[in-house]
Amino acid sequence: MSNNSRVTVQKSKLQYEDQKMLRGLRICGLRGLMLEPYTSSVQVFANYASTQPSTNIQKLPRLPVPKLNDTLSKWLKTVKPFLNDEEYAATTSLVKEFEGGVGQKLQALLEKRAGKHENWLEDWWLNTAYLEYRDPVVVFSSPGLVFPFRKFNSQEDQLRYAAKTIIAALDYKALIDNDKIPVEMMGKSPLDMAQYKKIFGTCRIPYEKRDKLSFNDTKHITVIHNNHIFHVDLWGSDGKRLNVDQIVQALKKVVDLSKTPSSEPIGILTSENRDAWAKAYQLLSKDKVNRDSLADVESSLAVLCLDSAAGLWQCADDNARRNVAAAQTIHGGGAPANGANRWFDKTIQFIVGADGVTGLTYEHSPAEGQPIAVLTDFIIKYIEQDKTGDTPSSGPKEPARLQFNVDSEVAAMINTAKQSLDKLVANLDLNCFKFDKYGKNFIKSHKMSPDSYLQMAMQYAFYSLHKTPGAHYESAATRMYTGGRTETIRSCSVESVAFAAAMLDARASAHDKLAAMRAAINAHKDYTVQALQGFGVDRHLLGLKLTAIENGIELPKLYSDPGYVRSAHMRISTSQVACKCDGFMCYGPLVGDGYATCYNPRDDDVNFATAAFAAHPDTAAARYRAALERALADMHDVLLHSARSKL
Ligand code: COA
């Protein structure tokens, strides 16, 4: 990776410790977008960025519209691995026809749109990638983030840890509110920081066809225990924030008021298909008591889930614990476990389980993983430092259980939601592990980009299992532009396939393998640099497609060409989410016959979270993990062999 594409953090007025912590972070899920300015104590609904005032406070450049011929020639290169010679010739002539015909018209219309919007993609992306997506947010959209494991010996331990998590989160929010999070940099380019202001107080609200986002700034959180939902104030009547002991007291009260599981686990509805949940939401909203309770959850700063034990310390080893914790943060283990102890629409849900599973689930639509990964390291460091000396506030209010009137129709929907979630849980095949043989340092010592190297290991692993190229999605941040979210890095290339084939070829020499590895890594790195600058192919082609749809223009044949379809069927869905602590992010695959791979590369090890769908006969997370570990070992051997031969 060239210096240009590296993300560093600029020094600012932060305290020294905070600076040290934040500097260690690398950029992650950056699909960040800017909807509107953060509004204090006001609730704002948004489903269209264009309806909001322009907020380019940082005066960042606008997302460019790439040139049509550049995108098309780049795209042709990316589809080559998926086509035979005859198909490739047909696709090439289709591209020529598109470029000389309707493509030009669409390009002109798109450029016109770009002239009118701060970011031509922003609202389109929010809607198509998130708010109009009808599958459940659970597994399909919301990642889990697993914190390092804890061993709680008592409920007091659990509640104290939870209280510290909340205090740490509030301190982090204060940094955000006061613009004290250092502006991240990519080379000399500052990155859009707007998404940091969208993670607290935000909630997705279900509507038929397209959901909405609700942004709020309040002084309470939602606590869920035994599937009962509570309003917990974090400030006393003197206007002072509660200290850790006072929050522990409030949480004890919550636990006392909810000793047995609720017979109406309303939160499970948020795990449903979005249209089904929207229907239940409309029914619930007919009743004023329900409307008030829904509004209370939606306006809270975050959710805290006090979970029951998940069997963490009964696991045989650390990797088995990783799978248990990943499952808890992605789906809560289903209806009989903690799956109803959630409000999945909330952007941040902290999870603190009775036996030491800790982490969070985040709803992806308002922001990428970056602010969440920064928050994670902030919390972990904060808890290690044990800063708990605040004086108490006076007049803390008692937690209040939120009431819901559930009629027979909604009760039936709750039952259906339980069954749907349990099916999802059964279908998600997780395999999370620490690869501890080497990390970034070893790869860097061979003058290679760690990210590109790991991506090529995934390409090789997939090819070794399926003997066919795997279309492969990696997120690249486009936050150097105002409202920038992500571009796709197409990691599958002619070079990556040649590399995988060389590694599997018994006749290929170590020298040949090394040459193929370097070529594949360089091709990936080149594409990465372009994607970070907004010059990948996927967002541009999406923009042209949506332009056609909006203008009533027949969808060009290019969009049904086998090259288009196969290269976009992302069988390997990946992202680097780096945090300093020994945590990791995890999520489900993008397609039925695919794999998910989220990874946290650290100096001397890499945390991987892989997943497949159990229902698909061709894929299994354990097989993929084994192939990935083999690939990493083989690549290591090739590098060591070449180093030895130079001696
Ligand atoms: N030789 C030696 N060192 C090299 C090198 C080379 N050829 N190439 C890169 N390096 C170094 C870099 O300088 C960097 O060093 P540092 O750790 O000291 O800062 C390190 O290796 C890592 O660089 P690299 O692995 O190349 O890339 P990256 O960490 O910058 O990540 C992306 C690249 C694409 C992942 C990142 O830019 C990005 O966009 N992240 C967003 C990911 C995302 O959206 N995730 C979704 C989460 S929901």
Side-chain angles (χ1 to χ4, degrees):
M1 175 79 41
S2 74
N3 275 343
N4 261 356
S5 61
R6 289 180 45 204
V7 177
T8 55
V9 175
Q10 202 175 45
K11 283 189 190 173
S12 85
K13 40 202 165 172
L14 277 184
Q15 297 297 311
Y16 175 66
E17 277 306 309
D18 295 332
Q19 281 182 3
K20 266 203 319 198
M21 195 183 321
L22 293 164
R23 254 203 312 272
L25 290 155
R26 302 204 56 78
I27 204 150
C28 63
L30 311 185
R31 291 188 196 168
L33 80 169
M34 191 178 290
L35 284 175
E36 78 284 327
Y38 193 49
T39 42
S40 243
S41 311
V42 178
Q43 187 171 332
V44 182
F45 282 92
N47 62 358
Y48 251 94
S50 51
T51 60
Q52 303 302 322
S54 160
T55 52
N56 190 359
I57 301 160
Q58 292 174 255
K59 303 274 176 266
L60 297 176
R62 288 173 169 213
L63 182 71
V65 178
K67 286 193 182 129
L68 186 60
N69 58 348
D70 282 353
T71 294
L72 292 175
S73 52
K74 204 176 294 171
W75 180 78
L76 264 180
K77 213 181 156 228
T78 69
V79 303
K80 202 154 198 269
F82 306 99
L83 301 173
N84 62 30
D85 289 350
E86 203 180 319
E87 289 169 329
Y88 186 69
T91 302
T92 307
S93 62
L94 198 60
V95 162
K96 278 202 186 109
E97 187 188 313
F98 179 76
E99 193 179 345
V102 67
Q104 287 188 17
K105 185 173 176 187
L106 295 175
Q107 176 77 3
L109 287 167
L110 184 58
E111 284 170 2
K112 199 164 154 202
R113 175 185 170 91
K116 290 193 204 140
H117 290 72
E118 290 276 9
N119 183 314
W120 59 263
L121 182 61
E122 189 177 4
D123 51 354
W124 271 348
W125 183 254
L126 175 63
N127 288 331
T128 55
Y130 297 107
L131 301 182
E132 290 170 2
Y133 190 70
R134 299 291 86 192
D135 278 337
V137 293
V138 181
V139 173
F140 296 110
S141 173
S142 297
L145 208 157
V146 175
F147 294 179
F149 306 128
R150 304 276 150 182
K151 213 166 203 169
F152 298 141
N153 296 315
S154 63
Q155 191 172 64
E156 172 80 22
D157 280 2
Q158 178 194 10
L159 301 186
R160 191 153 284 280
Y161 183 90
K164 288 181 189 173
T165 302
I166 295 302
I167 292 284
L170 292 178
D171 275 9
Y172 181 72
K173 179 177 181 297
L175 290 177
I176 295 172
D177 290 350
N178 295 315
D179 292 321
K180 285 188 176 168
I181 299 285
V183 173
E184 289 152 9
M185 305 291 290
M186 191 185 298
K188 289 189 177 147
S189 309
L191 299 184
D192 188 338
M193 297 297 287
Q195 56 185 277
Y196 277 85
K197 302 211 173 189
K198 297 195 187 116
I199 59 171
F200 287 104
T202 308
C203 196
R204 180 167 169 161
I205 316 287
Y207 280 85
E208 210 187 323
K209 294 199 174 96
R210 181 193 293 160
D211 294 351
K212 293 184 180 179
L213 286 176
S214 163
F215 296 92
N216 311 272
D217 192 4
T218 54
K219 295 201 177 297
H220 70 279
I221 53 167
T222 302
V223 179
I224 314 186
H225 178 252
N226 262 335
N227 310 338
H228 297 269
I229 304 176
F230 292 84
H231 168 113
V232 175
D233 277 306
L234 296 176
W235 272 261
S237 54
D238 58 355
K240 193 173 176 316
R241 198 173 78 185
L242 270 55
N243 68 11
V244 169
D245 289 338
Q246 289 177 305
I247 296 179
V248 171
Q249 286 315 311
L251 298 180
K252 278 187 178 158
K253 183 82 193 173
V254 164
V255 169
D256 281 350
L257 290 171
S258 52
K259 287 200 172 117
T260 53
S262 165
S263 57
E264 286 159 357
I266 197 99
I268 200 145
L269 288 168
T270 64
S271 70
E272 257 291 15
N273 163 284
R274 302 305 297 175
D275 282 338
W277 169 211
K279 194 162 173 230
Y281 187 93
Q282 291 309 320
L283 288 173
L284 282 167
S285 300
K286 287 183 185 161
D287 182 307
K288 163 116 179 51
V289 171
N290 294 340
R291 277 201 303 280
D292 290 348
S293 296
L294 289 168
D296 201 281
V297 177
E298 286 158 14
S299 63
S300 69
L301 293 177
V303 169
L304 168 65
C305 308
L306 294 174
D307 277 5
S308 55
L312 191 70
W313 298 105
Q314 281 81 58
C315 291
D317 58 29
D318 194 57
N319 286 339
R321 277 188 276 282
R322 284 165 190 261
N323 291 336
V324 165
Q328 290 298 315
T329 61
I330 295 176
H331 51 54
N338 293 301
N341 210 46
R342 298 282 182 274
W343 198 270
F344 285 106
D345 289 358
K346 208 68 194 159
T347 302
I348 297 184
Q349 290 193 87
F350 293 110
I351 291 162
V352 182
D355 57 353
V357 171
T358 61
L360 56 85
T361 305
Y362 92 95
E363 199 290 300
H364 212 318
S365 51
E368 300 308 327
Q370 168 71 350
I372 315 288
V374 180
L375 168 66
T376 298
D377 274 333
F378 189 92
I379 290 173
I380 302 304
K381 185 90 180 180
Y382 188 101
I383 289 174
E384 274 168 15
Q385 288 172 344
D386 203 15
K387 295 183 192 171
T388 51
D390 283 358
T391 52
S393 71
S394 59
K397 285 189 215 129
E398 293 276 290
R401 189 205 313 256
L402 299 178
Q403 301 299 327
F404 287 94
N405 293 324
V406 173
D407 64 18
S408 58
E409 206 173 344
V410 175
M413 288 169 153
I414 289 176
N415 273 334
T416 310
K418 285 182 187 171
Q419 289 160 20
S420 311
L421 181 64
D422 289 347
K423 271 192 207 149
L424 265 184
V425 168
N427 197 17
L428 188 68
D429 170 19
L430 283 163
N431 202 314
C432 306
F433 63 101
K434 180 189 283 296
F435 177 78
D436 60 6
K437 309 282 181 292
Y438 60 94
K440 284 194 296 181
N441 284 346
F442 170 77
I443 305 168
K444 284 198 236 175
S445 73
H446 287 271
K447 310 243 177 310
M448 291 173 169
S449 149
D451 188 68
S452 298
Y453 180 100
L454 295 171
Q455 286 286 318
M456 290 309 100
M458 295 168 212
Q459 273 290 296
Y460 170 29
F462 182 94
Y463 194 86
S464 70
L465 284 177
H466 299 285
K467 308 291 182 280
T468 186
H472 185 158
Y473 181 111
E474 183 190 0
S475 321
T478 51
R479 279 172 59 212
M480 62 187 281
Y481 302 110
T482 184
R485 292 205 75 157
T486 53
E487 174 58 276
T488 306
I489 301 168
R490 291 189 159 209
S491 294
C492 183
S493 61
V494 170
E495 293 85 351
S496 74
V497 178
F499 157 61
M503 292 299 281
L504 292 171
D505 183 350
R507 290 159 310 168
S509 68
H511 178 80
D512 295 341
K513 289 178 180 174
L514 181 64
M517 191 196 304
R518 281 205 186 278
I521 286 173
N522 288 341
H524 180 269
K525 193 168 73 174
D526 283 354
Y527 200 104
T528 300
V529 172
Q530 294 178 63
L532 289 168
Q533 293 170 354
F535 295 107
V537 300
D538 287 87
R539 303 299 179 266
H540 187 194
L541 288 178
L542 174 69
L544 296 171
K545 182 178 174 183
L546 294 174
T547 302
I549 293 169
E550 275 201 6
N551 289 279
I553 297 169
E554 193 187 342
L555 208 57
K557 284 197 210 111
L558 188 77
Y559 290 97
S560 46
D561 181 78
Y564 185 88
V565 176
R566 291 179 204 159
S567 69
H569 183 74
M570 297 295 182
R571 294 193 67 186
I572 319 169
S573 155
T574 70
S575 42
Q576 182 189 136
V577 179
C579 50
K580 271 186 122 176
C581 70
D582 195 7
F584 59 94
M585 196 172 262
C586 42
Y587 48 75
L590 266 183
V591 295
D593 58 349
Y595 302 99
T597 317
C598 198
Y599 53 106
N600 176 11
R602 305 192 316 153
D603 286 347
D604 298 307
D605 56 41
V606 185
N607 284 338
F608 284 103
T610 73
F613 285 122
H616 205 286
D618 291 353
T619 55
R623 280 205 303 270
Y624 176 67
R625 171 209 169 153
L628 189 52
E629 288 188 300
R630 251 191 333 266
L632 290 164
D634 290 353
M635 290 165 77
H636 180 266
D637 288 352
V638 167
L639 287 177
L640 283 195
H641 185 276
S642 90
R644 270 199 303 269
S645 61
K646 280 190 195 138
L647 291 178

